Amino acid sequence: MGRPKHTGTRPSGAHYAGDVADKTGAGDERTRIDRIGRALGLAAVSVAVLGVVCVLLEVFGSVSGASNSKSGIWPTVNLLPLLAFPVAVLLILAFLVINIIRLTRQNRGGTR
């Protein structure tokens, strides 16, 4: 059976829902800030998850007696949470600053 073929002409931009086809660079600054915000949020979550995984590895390693070892991967696993959590906090703060700037510009009605 399949889909029926369209025989008429389509108005410009009819392929998209909403006003996607009408945007011509008006939101370039906003899009850049949104991308930076998404990247900062994803980086913060990733670094925090890495720190939690390392803490869990330390717990399971101490139960098995392996985490006290000074060789192999254990020195890195012991050091990563000390670096990951402060970096995650700094990324979250940067994410909040970017969002505050974005909302302030949006409420003011301009891009700058």
Side-chain angles (χ1 to χ4, degrees):
M1 296 287 204
R3 201 165 52 174
K5 293 183 180 179
H6 181 72
T7 57
T9 61
R10 292 184 184 202
S12 176
H15 301 288
Y16 303 106
D19 61 343
V20 175
D22 296 335
K23 291 185 179 178
T24 56
D28 287 341
E29 180 73 20
R30 195 183 98 224
T31 303
R32 188 172 64 89
I33 290 176
D34 288 344
R35 285 182 185 168
I36 292 171
R38 271 188 255 133
L40 284 172
L42 182 63
V45 169
S46 300
V47 170
V49 167
L50 177 68
V52 169
V53 166
C54 287
V55 167
L56 291 175
L57 283 175
E58 285 184 42
V59 169
F60 292 132
S62 66
V63 169
S64 67
S67 70
N68 294 333
S69 175
K70 299 293 181 200
S71 62
I73 197 169
W74 293 110
T76 304
V77 170
N78 291 334
L79 180 67
L80 270 176
L82 298 175
L83 299 174
F85 292 127
V87 168
V89 168
L90 291 175
L91 288 170
I92 289 170
L93 289 175
F95 176 75
L96 289 174
V97 167
I98 290 291
N99 279 326
I100 289 170
I101 290 171
R102 181 181 58 86
L103 290 174
T104 303
R105 289 181 182 173
Q106 187 177 10
N107 287 337
R108 217 179 330 167
T111 58
R112 280 212 129 184

